Amino acid sequence: MPFSFTDEQKQTALWLGLGLLLIALMVALGPILTPFIASAILAYALNPGVDWLSRRRIGKFPFPRALAVLIVIMLLVFAILAVILIVIPVLRKEFPLLQDQIPNFLSKLDGFIGPHLQDFGINMRLDGTGIKEMLTKQLSTSSDEIWTSVLASVKVGGTAVLGWLATILLVPVVLFYLLQDWHQIVARVGMLVPRRWQGKTGNMTQEVDSLLAQYLRGQLLVMLVLAIYYSTGLAIAGFDVALPVGIITGLLVFIPYVGFGLGLVLALIAAMLQFQGWHGLIAVAIIYGIGQVLESFILTPRLVGERIGLHPLVVIFALMAFGQLFGFVGILLALPCSAIMSVVVKHVRAHYLDSSFYKH
């Protein structure tokens, strides 16, 4: 007897096929979807604030949601500008002084490393004169290739800058419309779920929402603890810019490697400018080394991982795996996506243990 599909099976196969095509289309349009995905993530995080403002009243009249959205977006912009205004004065103060200190630093570095390089048969001076001679030699031997590479990099870099500018300008616009119609959008997406899956999907959505809320609270706590740690550590070491550099490192820690890297560079520059010997650089290495261990193996696994029900080893694996698969964006989304996957895996496991395949 030939096998035939029922109408329900045909419908299921059709909609599954369309769903896979939609996923493939979204992957192909990944660069275009970046501002929309970023706006959706921001809208999810900021919507509770908009809801809270919308429940307030102006006299006898309810607070307009559009006005609440504008206020929340403006607060977000002001927070970003505040971080920038903390960073720029530090950079403007340190970089001109750094230019004057570079020759002395290179001379000290040459005196420290030069003899060791000569032991390996490498005759190269690391002071300003030696580096200038090396660059001049390289430029004279392959100037045509270098200029070709520079022009190509400028062309690619200019296109990338324009893309980033377009994304930055588009995100607030998309964010406004998403926040304005957030509940209607969520309701319409919910209506697309098949009726027989409605109850189960609703329960899973509530669990995911609770986990992501705990993730955000845990991440904010990590940022606060690290900002206090770096500011205190640099202040104890005697750094004049301990407070701004510590705050920058802590607040930007939610961007993996960027916050730590920027804070480390600023602290190293400050050490070179403020201290004559090597003890400033050694202090920075100790403070930031301990801070990285504290963040990666204690704070993030316990304050973030335990709040979303993930074992510390799972948190470390998720960060490495998502970073390997999706790069920098994957590191940003590793823990929230892992929280969502943990809810799905829990329900799949329960369904498997209750199935006849497992019991018989």
Side-chain angles (χ1 to χ4, degrees), residues 61-176:
F61 301 98
F63 205 93
R65 185 171 179 86
L67 182 57
V69 171
L70 283 175
I71 291 175
V72 169
I73 292 177
M74 289 176 63
L75 289 175
L76 175 65
V77 172
F78 288 152
I80 295 173
L81 289 177
V83 174
I84 294 174
L85 291 176
I86 291 174
V87 174
I88 290 179
V90 176
L91 297 179
R92 292 185 63 182
K93 177 183 177 182
E94 291 190 351
F95 280 145
L97 297 174
L98 179 64
Q99 293 177 353
D100 299 331
Q101 294 292 330
I102 285 178
N104 295 331
F105 176 76
L106 289 176
S107 298
K108 293 179 181 179
L109 188 65
D110 182 61
F112 181 75
I113 299 180
H116 298 286
L117 293 178
Q118 291 178 0
D119 292 340
F120 291 97
I122 301 175
N123 295 318
M124 184 179 68
R125 297 173 59 190
L126 296 178
D127 59 357
T129 304
I131 292 178
K132 185 176 180 180
E133 291 176 355
M134 181 180 66
L135 292 176
T136 302
K137 181 179 179 181
Q138 292 295 327
L139 289 172
S140 62
T141 55
S142 56
S143 59
D144 292 338
E145 295 179 3
I146 291 175
W147 278 111
T148 302
S149 301
V150 168
L151 291 175
S153 300
V154 168
K155 182 178 179 180
V156 174
T159 304
V161 169
L162 291 177
W164 275 104
L165 287 176
T167 299
I168 292 173
L169 294 175
L170 186 59
V171 165
V173 178
V174 178
L175 179 60
F176 175 84

Side-chain angles (χ1 to χ4, degrees), residues 8 13 36 70 79 100 103 130 156 184 195 203 245 264 348:
E8 184 177 355
F36 295 92
L70 283 175
D100 299 331
V156 174
Q184 293 90 326
R195 300 296 91 185
N203 293 334
V245 172
L264 178 61
V348 170

Side-chain angles (χ1 to χ4, degrees), residues 315-329:
V315 173
I316 297 171
F317 175 79
L319 290 171
M320 297 177 64
F322 277 81
Q324 177 67 29
L325 292 174
F326 306 108
F328 178 72
V329 176

Side-chain angles (χ1 to χ4, degrees), residues 298-360:
I298 299 176
L299 293 178
T300 298
R302 296 196 175 276
L303 296 180
V304 179
E306 288 186 355
R307 284 173 176 261
I308 59 179
L310 296 178
H311 191 276
L313 290 178
V314 176
V315 173
I316 297 171
F317 175 79
L319 290 171
M320 297 177 64
F322 277 81
Q324 177 67 29
L325 292 174
F326 306 108
F328 178 72
V329 176
I331 296 175
L332 285 178
L333 300 177
L335 292 184
C337 288
S338 298
I340 296 172
M341 291 173 61
S342 69
V343 173
V344 175
V345 169
K346 184 179 75 172
H347 284 269
V348 170
R349 179 177 180 274
H351 181 73
Y352 167 71
L353 294 178
D354 193 46
S355 65
S356 59
F357 178 81
Y358 173 78
K359 292 181 177 180
H360 301 289

